[in-house]
Amino acid sequence: MPRSRVAEVFADEWPVLVATLRRDLGDLGLAEEVAQDAFVEAAARWGPDSTPDRPGAWLLTTARRRAIDQIRRDKRFAERLPALADLASAPSRPESELIDDQLALIFGCCHDSLNAEAQIALTLREVCGLSTNQIADTFLVATPTMAKRLVRAKDKIRKAKVPFVVPEPEDLPSRLAAVLHVIYLIFTAGHTNSEGPALVRGDLCDEARWLCEILDRLLASRPPIQRGPAGGVDEVGHEDHETVAAGRAEVQGLLALMMFTDARRATRIDDGGRLVLLEEQDRGLWDQKLVANAQATLATALAAHHPGPYQLQAIIAGLHTTAPSWEATDWSAIGDLYGRLSVMTPSPVVSLNHAVARSMAEGPAVGLAALDELGERHELDDYRYFHAARADLLRRLESTDEAIAAYRRAIELGGNEAEQEFLRGRLRELGVTDP
Amino acid sequence: MRYLLLLYSAADAGPADGSPEQAAQMPKWFEFSNELSEAGSHLAGEALHGEETATTVRVRDGAPIVTDGPFAETKEVLGGFYMIDVENLDEAKKWAAKVPLAPYGSVEIRPIMEIDVPS
């Protein structure tokens, strides 16, 4: 859907505006409110295709004016905020501060004192500029519920003084991992709810990719961290530079992972809304341009020589997406990569994927043995994909009764309509008349 | 900004009262308090007697109701607290992680409501 010039400007300017105002005013809620007011005013004053020369400056001035009005009227703010005079005459900020303000906004929205749902909602509202209504729709909750979630999060931020700052180098890896996790959750949500309202950048998958791109750009544009004696020569701390480089490699890894996955979007669901397995997807319909893009992004990430879990997952996704067919996929390489991943970020799900890859490389009996061993730890008892994977291997080994039991267990454990229908289809193939 | 660090642990977690293990832990607690004071962040800190020494008072319909024990039976019980003054939640988290009880209990961080007294 072609967007007006104004809509494009809004998409670009929103996070900068919110980040700057949050810094000015020291309050995220007020910042968001006056930013929204400024955008509403802009929509009314500008035509659909005419924007001022410096829209960011126009929006900031307008928002600040509204903030001053609010502060005058609401005593709550007057005590906590910087002097009005400072705000009114504040000069336009240098580029480097704008970068840090936006990074502070992203890291703040993903602070670990907030639960995952709150982090996701805040990031989508404050950074991506989605409306509360849009966020509610895409997560299939009622708008008042989502509104309350956002209010609660902003309340906690204010009352507990959750800091909105760029993390110190020693904290950067863990804080960045949290941000990447939020981005990946947004992407997965977009992937599952393939139907949703048209958003700023298309859909949640596009928002997630945009978040990765802006995060990488911001990290790249940061001036080197200055250390050294006051008045002395500014030095770039070597470890700080390496920390940022390692961070960017993972950001790019996640971006590549999402691009590889998106490249297969057209073939995930068939015309009847049914799930199509990777095994059966028409690879001719995959977006080769996006695949090429993903490969280039991954290559850049790997060139930094800072391996990480998202980069590993991206390599795996790349092997799938560039394989000419399911049979010709390099399963043994994928198995090795999952092996490495299970050392880096051990998790039952990674072990599950490892076992599945091994079943393809070494045969279903080997895979089943690996799955059964995993099953003894009982961490995946309620994970439908574990049972679906077991069922599939049992089916291939012609253990029909056990396969049926496993498919039934998988169905019991939920999943969306397309997944459930697929599993029922398998049961019918095995002769179950009433799955 | 002031925060309360509320120290919770299960009855069977951590060193037993009066045990040599507990005696061995004491220096760690002194060290923590000293570090907190030296940073200028220590406002208060106390250990509490066990939950079996608690008494709970409620007033309903004007009448006081007194019960023997804590306000509720919980798996982890309140054993002590610190009141600290730090810049923001990240600072509070760093101190909470250093509390010697953290490896076997839970430290809850609560921001203190600063009520502005009208002049």
Side-chain angles (χ1 to χ4, degrees):
Chain A
M1 177 172 75
R3 286 183 306 163
S4 65
R5 172 92 188 103
V6 168
E8 275 181 23
V9 165
F10 279 11
D12 291 337
E13 292 296 337
W14 173 263
V16 186
L17 187 61
V18 172
T20 308
L21 288 165
R22 193 214 60 79
R23 178 49 140 120
D24 282 346
L25 305 170
D27 187 289
L28 181 62
L30 180 61
E32 183 201 312
E33 223 181 285
V34 300
Q36 187 67 35
D37 288 346
F39 272 67
V40 168
E41 211 179 302
R45 302 270 213 97
W46 309 348
D49 281 292
S50 82
T51 59
D53 279 337
R54 293 171 60 230
W58 191 101
L59 289 164
L60 184 58
T61 308
T62 307
R64 275 178 175 163
R65 201 181 308 126
R66 302 282 269 199
I68 290 170
D69 287 344
Q70 277 261 48
I71 292 166
R72 282 209 176 103
R73 270 183 276 126
D74 189 340
K75 283 219 169 51
R76 259 189 320 155
F77 293 117
E79 274 132 26
R80 273 190 283 112
L81 297 174
L84 283 185
D86 287 349
L87 189 60
S89 61
S92 60
R93 300 270 288 285
E95 183 70 27
S96 58
E97 284 187 28
L98 287 182
I99 291 166
D100 270 11
D101 288 348
Q102 288 175 81
L103 281 170
L105 181 66
I106 294 171
F107 281 110
C109 287
C110 299
H111 196 274
D112 62 6
S113 65
L114 302 165
N115 66 61
E117 287 177 340
Q119 291 176 21
I120 292 170
L122 271 183
T123 302
L124 287 173
R125 176 80 194 105
E126 311 297 345
V127 187
C128 299
L130 268 55
S131 72
T132 306
N133 206 17
Q134 287 173 322
I135 304 171
D137 280 352
T138 53
F139 285 92
L140 306 173
V141 303
T143 301
T145 307
M146 186 56 72
K148 218 197 290 185
R149 193 179 293 175
L150 285 164
V151 164
R152 229 179 249 149
K154 282 180 274 185
D155 258 359
K156 177 162 185 184
I157 288 167
R158 190 186 325 117
K159 288 172 180 165
K161 214 163 169 210
V162 172
F164 273 57
V165 292
V166 182
E168 294 297 310
E170 61 264 20
D171 298 325
L172 189 65
S174 62
R175 294 295 304 278
L176 190 57
V179 173
L180 294 180
H181 185 63
V182 168
I183 295 175
Y184 195 44
L185 286 175
I186 292 172
F187 182 79
T188 318
H191 211 230
T192 324
N193 310 343
S194 46
E195 291 173 18
L199 302 178
V200 181
R201 274 160 282 267
D203 66 8
L204 281 186
C205 293
D206 293 335
E207 293 298 331
R209 280 166 52 187
W210 177 82
L211 278 166
C212 253
E213 282 163 4
I214 189 181
L215 186 55
D216 189 43
R217 212 182 320 134
L218 289 169
L219 287 171
S221 319
R222 278 197 93 205
I225 293 133
Q226 288 152 358
R227 302 214 191 256
V233 174
D234 293 330
E235 287 173 3
V236 177
H238 178 74
E239 307 107 52
D240 302 341
H241 175 81
E242 284 309 296
T243 306
V244 174
R248 286 188 65 202
E250 274 293 273
V251 176
Q252 289 156 8
L254 176 57
L255 182 56
L257 171 61
M258 295 191 294
M259 284 173 160
F260 280 125
T261 311
D262 259 356
R264 311 195 297 258
R265 206 194 292 205
T267 56
R268 275 198 86 226
I269 313 274
D270 72 11
D271 294 328
R274 283 179 294 260
L275 191 71
V276 181
L277 284 191
L278 188 57
E279 200 169 333
E280 281 143 18
Q281 289 172 13
D282 179 356
R283 299 187 177 216
L285 295 177
W286 288 354
D287 184 343
Q288 292 307 324
K289 196 159 154 226
L290 192 48
V291 173
N293 219 333
Q295 284 176 301
T297 305
L298 181 54
T300 307
L302 296 174
H305 298 295
H306 282 287
Y310 281 115
Q311 289 166 78
L312 276 183
Q313 288 180 77
I315 299 172
I316 292 168
L319 285 171
H320 275 299
T321 315
T322 54
S325 68
W326 177 257
E327 292 73 26
T329 303
D330 192 346
W331 291 108
S332 113
I334 291 178
D336 286 344
L337 287 161
Y338 273 119
R340 278 177 64 190
L341 191 58
S342 65
V343 170
M344 212 181 257
T345 49
S347 90
V349 174
V350 171
S351 303
L352 171 61
N353 289 329
H354 191 189
V356 170
R358 289 188 67 200
S359 79
M360 291 305 300
E362 299 166 71
V366 172
L368 186 62
L371 277 186
D372 285 339
E373 202 187 308
L374 185 56
E376 269 157 41
R377 280 186 256 159
H378 296 291
E379 291 160 317
L380 293 169
D381 284 355
D382 295 331
Y383 192 51
R384 61 187 186 271
Y385 296 118
F386 172 76
H387 298 284
R390 269 195 88 240
D392 187 60
L393 295 179
L394 288 161
R395 182 183 60 90
R396 280 153 60 183
L397 291 167
E398 293 176 4
S399 302
T400 308
D401 289 337
E402 287 187 70
I404 289 174
Y407 277 121
R408 284 219 164 99
R409 185 83 186 103
I411 291 173
E412 257 169 35
L413 291 167
N416 65 42
E417 250 319 290
E419 288 175 358
Q420 296 254 313
E421 194 38 50
F422 169 79
L423 293 170
R424 277 188 216 112
R426 283 289 200 229
L427 280 175
R428 278 184 220 110
E429 280 169 32
L430 292 175
V432 177
T433 44
D434 178 25
Chain B
M1 167 98 184
R2 294 185 301 159
Y3 297 87
L4 262 195
L5 302 184
L6 298 158
L7 280 43
Y8 290 94
S9 59
D12 55 357
D17 264 347
S19 69
E21 289 80 25
Q22 191 188 48
Q25 284 253 307
M26 290 315 295
K28 289 194 190 156
W29 288 95
F30 287 131
E31 216 181 286
F32 176 76
S33 292
N34 282 339
E35 226 191 300
L36 201 49
S37 301
E38 265 158 36
S41 296
H42 183 288
L43 293 177
E46 306 290 354
L48 303 174
H49 281 291
E51 52 159 357
E52 64 283 357
T53 67
T55 311
T56 299
V57 174
R58 296 180 177 86
V59 175
R60 303 281 185 267
D61 297 323
I65 306 169
V66 180
T67 35
D68 177 3
F71 83 105
E73 293 298 319
T74 54
K75 219 169 70 169
E76 290 189 305
V77 297
L78 184 64
F81 69 91
Y82 286 96
M83 191 190 313
I84 64 175
D85 188 355
V86 292
E87 188 55 42
N88 56 39
L89 185 59
D90 279 350
E91 294 293 307
K93 276 166 62 187
K94 290 204 162 101
W95 287 112
K98 287 185 174 165
V99 173
L101 167 139
Y104 59 82
S106 307
V107 180
E108 181 178 316
I109 303 170
R110 281 288 196 97
I112 290 177
M113 204 184 294
E114 307 287 2
I115 314 245
D116 296 314
V117 179
S119 47

